[in-house]
Amino acid sequence: MSEIYIKYSGASGFKRAGDKGELSGKVVSYADFKSISGDIKPGSADEYGIILDSGDVQEFIANYEEESIFTDAEKA
């Protein structure tokens, strides 16, 4: 399985990063992000770089209702 890199900002939501070097803020695994995401206030200046395993795409979509950052192949 491959890694997928996602940038998250409390102000602008989720965006896809091309590689690990594009991640900003606190870089965390998806498992760690799940445990802290409930404490992030919408509109805040909080920034996270999320390292997501490709096997976790469906769970990520279910938890955060954000699928536009994934390709059709990744969503399958």
Side-chain angles (χ1 to χ4, degrees):
M1 302 210 167
S2 61
E3 292 181 335
I4 296 171
Y5 305 107
I6 301 169
K7 298 189 280 187
Y8 176 78
S9 165
S12 60
F14 296 101
K15 293 184 179 165
R16 187 69 177 257
D19 61 45
K20 194 173 186 177
E22 290 182 27
L23 297 178
S24 58
K26 182 175 181 181
V27 178
V28 296
S29 69
Y30 172 55
D32 290 339
F33 184 76
K34 287 191 300 185
S35 68
I36 60 176
S37 64
D39 295 329
I40 300 171
K41 302 208 179 349
S44 72
D46 294 342
E47 290 189 5
Y48 292 89
I50 305 163
I51 301 173
L52 176 74
D53 186 276
S54 60
D56 291 327
V57 168
Q58 289 300 319
E59 180 184 337
F60 183 93
I61 292 170
N63 285 336
Y64 299 102
E65 298 179 359
E66 176 63 63
E67 63 180 272
S68 63
I69 59 173
F70 299 107
T71 66
D72 288 341
E74 290 168 340
K75 291 187 265 186

